[in-house]
Amino acid sequence: MRNSKITWAVVTGVVVAALAGVGVAVAVNRSSSNNDAAPSTRVTESAPSPSASPSPAPSPGADITGPLDLLLAGVDTRINVPDWEPHADAIMLLHVEPGLKSAYLYSLPRDLRVQVPAFKKSGFPGGKHKITEAMAYGSRVPGKSTKNIANGYELLTKTISNYIGIKTIQAGAILNFGGLDQLVDELGGIDITVDRKVKSRHRQPNGKLRKLVGHDYIGPQAVYLPGKRHLVGWQAIDYARQRYGLPNGDYDRQLHQRTLVKAILDKALSQQLSDPAKLAAVITALGKSLVTLGGRQPAEYAYALRDLTPANITSVQLEGGGVGSGSGYLGEQLNSEARGFLKAVATGKIAAYLKAHPKLVSKG
């Protein structure tokens, strides 16, 4: 499976929602706390009855009750490569339970072999492919070399919805490379538990890029040792990128990405984001990572998810294996236990399924 520096960028979508949610919640709390109670007025028989104050309009997003399925797709657009087609190099889903106070975060392998439906907008006839390629096939514009990423995202969501068996994906974020390391630095770094020794394929201990010779890198490597670690921006991103040398390759990398998500959320929610300037600086640090966000307005989902905390997000690890090998490698397929979890997502029976299959719950 091809490595990509884009893979980790998917987590930014979760961060955007969390930060916006904090901002909305702060605004709501400020509004209610700053309204001092008016002194009572004695009303005589001759005094006219005061008109009733109109009820405040419900906050946008107050009608969203769940369940929700949100997609975070890390896309390698490679804008410096002529005619490059965008691929979904990381696919992370957040299923939020009814009531919107608990959720499950899980990943699908980028090389998962699935049925990609026909897509009239791009002229794609449909067929069995790696799920990462759905974005590319959907983004094609017949007769032109330009790409339509929004259409690619649409085909990707259709493909994922069909595979899992859910009716729709309510919202999602498409993210390209850049911004997340600045975000982590803006937060003052993050605290993360490294589960195993990880050697960087890309960075030196000082953060500089290793030298690429042929198809491999040479020179000193940054190393992340097991235990609780404080990572600055480039370290956090580098750690979440690695898959070479890990026992389960991309499956371990998916776990590290979800661990990174929760670490960023923990740090973001611990910040004094009631300061508008601080909140603006954190969001600005994302740069141009966020390409598009579907569904209703982001602020609506932020308000709806204001009570969803990292402690109530359960990380789920789905395992699988390769279909074919060597030159005959066709992609990945999930094992029966992982496919059972997806069925539980579609039928609203996740808690019961994880109780019967506790090993699916990861520490990340």
Side-chain angles (χ1 to χ4, degrees):
M1 290 178 282
R2 181 172 56 87
N3 191 22
S4 169
K5 63 185 180 182
I6 303 304
T7 306
W8 52 264
V10 67
V11 304
T12 311
V14 174
V15 177
V16 170
L19 295 180
V22 172
V24 171
V26 167
V28 170
N29 291 335
R30 277 184 169 180
S31 177
S32 61
S33 62
N34 289 343
N35 291 331
D36 296 329
S40 60
T41 301
R42 182 178 179 180
V43 180
T44 65
E45 291 182 0
S46 60
S49 298
S51 59
S53 299
S55 299
S59 299
D63 62 314
I64 300 175
T65 58
L68 296 176
D69 289 286
L70 310 178
L71 168 64
L72 307 169
V75 176
D76 183 359
T77 56
R78 298 198 180 189
I79 57 177
N80 59 326
V81 179
D83 298 330
W84 177 258
E85 294 183 327
H87 287 65
D89 283 332
I91 299 171
M92 195 178 299
L93 291 117
L94 185 71
H95 176 86
V96 189
E97 292 282 76
L100 307 180
K101 293 185 178 180
S102 63
Y104 300 90
L105 184 66
Y106 61 100
S107 307
L108 295 179
R110 65 177 300 277
D111 285 348
L112 186 65
R113 188 165 172 79
V114 298
Q115 181 68 34
V116 181
F119 194 61
K120 187 176 181 180
K121 291 181 181 179
S122 66
F124 177 66
K128 276 269 190 179
H129 298 276
K130 296 176 182 178
I131 200 169
T132 180
E133 297 170 340
M135 174 74 73
Y137 294 137
S139 70
R140 293 174 178 173
V141 180
K144 297 182 179 180
S145 61
T146 57
K147 302 297 182 290
N148 187 317
I149 294 181
N151 285 349
Y153 170 78
E154 182 180 345
L155 181 56
L156 178 64
T157 60
K158 289 180 182 293
T159 302
I160 294 172
S161 296
N162 291 349
Y163 179 75
I164 298 176
I166 56 180
K167 184 177 180 180
T168 186
I169 292 173
Q170 286 81 10
I174 304 175
L175 306 155
N176 60 23
F177 181 71
L180 191 57
D181 53 348
Q182 288 89 348
L183 173 63
V184 172
D185 285 336
E186 186 66 38
L187 291 171
I190 60 170
D191 298 308
I192 198 168
T193 299
V194 177
D195 61 343
R196 66 180 80 245
K197 183 178 180 179
V198 176
K199 291 184 177 181
S200 174
R201 186 168 183 258
H202 314 94
R203 296 278 184 175
Q204 300 178 39
N206 60 6
K208 293 183 178 180
L209 290 172
R210 299 178 71 208
K211 185 177 181 180
L212 180 63
V213 177
H215 296 288
D216 205 356
Y217 296 86
I218 63 172
Q221 296 172 270
V223 178
Y224 306 96
L225 298 175
K228 293 183 178 180
R229 306 295 173 195
H230 182 81
L231 304 181
V232 297
W234 74 264
Q235 292 174 318
I237 307 314
D238 187 51
Y239 170 72
R241 287 180 60 189
Q242 306 308 315
R243 69 181 177 90
Y244 290 102
L246 298 178
N248 299 304
D250 189 53
Y251 294 97
D252 284 337
R253 179 169 62 179
Q254 294 168 26
L255 171 61
H256 294 166
Q257 290 167 0
R258 294 194 305 277
T259 302
L260 180 61
V261 167
K262 298 187 74 172
I264 291 176
L265 291 182
D266 277 327
K267 189 60 178 288
L269 293 176
S270 71
Q271 297 286 301
Q272 296 298 318
L273 297 182
S274 57
D275 179 356
K278 176 64 175 177
L279 180 62
V282 170
I283 294 178
T284 299
L286 293 173
K288 296 182 179 179
S289 292
L290 187 63
V291 175
T292 186
L293 188 69
R296 294 168 63 163
Q297 292 299 312
E300 296 182 67
Y301 286 108
Y303 182 84
L305 299 175
R306 66 193 183 280
D307 293 328
L308 181 61
T309 65
N312 292 327
I313 298 177
T314 301
S315 178
V316 179
Q317 179 75 3
L318 304 182
E319 300 285 356
V323 180
S325 60
S327 60
Y329 175 73
L330 298 176
E332 297 291 304
Q333 64 180 358
L334 296 177
N335 61 30
S336 59
E337 192 174 37
R339 294 195 301 271
F341 170 79
L342 297 182
K343 183 177 180 180
V345 171
T347 57
K349 300 178 180 178
I350 300 179
Y353 190 80
L354 291 182
K355 185 176 181 180
H357 302 268
K359 291 184 179 180
L360 289 179
V361 178
S362 62
K363 296 180 181 180

